[in-house]
Amino acid sequence: MKIETGKWYAPRYSGRKVPLYKIKHIAGNEIIMEIWEFDKKSCSVSPVDKYVPVDKFFFENKSQAEGILPVEGEFKEELSLPDLGEL
């Protein structure tokens, strides 16, 4: 899976509160992202942190194991997520 700036990603399996990762910038081996949280019970999305640097391999390793997926299509419907484009 190719990581793209501006896209949302989430863990494949989660509990009531789903962490959401919005990619802000990719530079070399570092990814800058925002972390949000989706509460399945209240159907609300709230910010957790606006500037989180992580190693690019964080996503590559998890994506190869299908532990993290882009939030789109069937996966978005499965999570019952609202439109994230405005956040």
Side-chain angles (χ1 to χ4, degrees):
M1 168 177 67
K2 183 180 177 189
I3 305 301
E4 297 179 40
T5 302
K7 283 204 161 195
W8 292 84
Y9 297 87
R12 177 70 178 114
Y13 303 104
S14 58
R16 175 182 160 191
K17 295 191 177 189
V18 180
L20 301 171
Y21 311 112
K22 183 178 183 183
I23 306 302
K24 300 290 285 179
H25 184 69
I26 300 172
N29 285 332
E30 187 175 66
I31 294 175
I32 306 300
M33 64 181 179
E34 291 179 357
I35 299 178
W36 294 70
E37 186 175 75
F38 173 64
D39 187 322
K40 290 180 182 178
K41 185 174 182 181
S42 66
C43 293
S44 63
V45 179
S46 57
V48 174
D49 203 342
K50 288 197 169 247
Y51 182 88
V52 180
V54 294
D55 191 296
K56 191 174 184 179
F57 298 109
F58 168 81
F59 278 94
E60 289 179 3
N61 292 339
K62 288 188 177 278
S63 67
Q64 288 175 1
E66 294 186 6
I68 195 165
L69 298 171
V71 178
E72 55 191 22
E74 291 179 12
F75 183 52
K76 183 177 178 181
E77 290 175 17
E78 181 182 315
L79 293 174
S80 302
L81 281 168
D83 183 27
L84 300 172
E86 301 167 1
L87 301 175

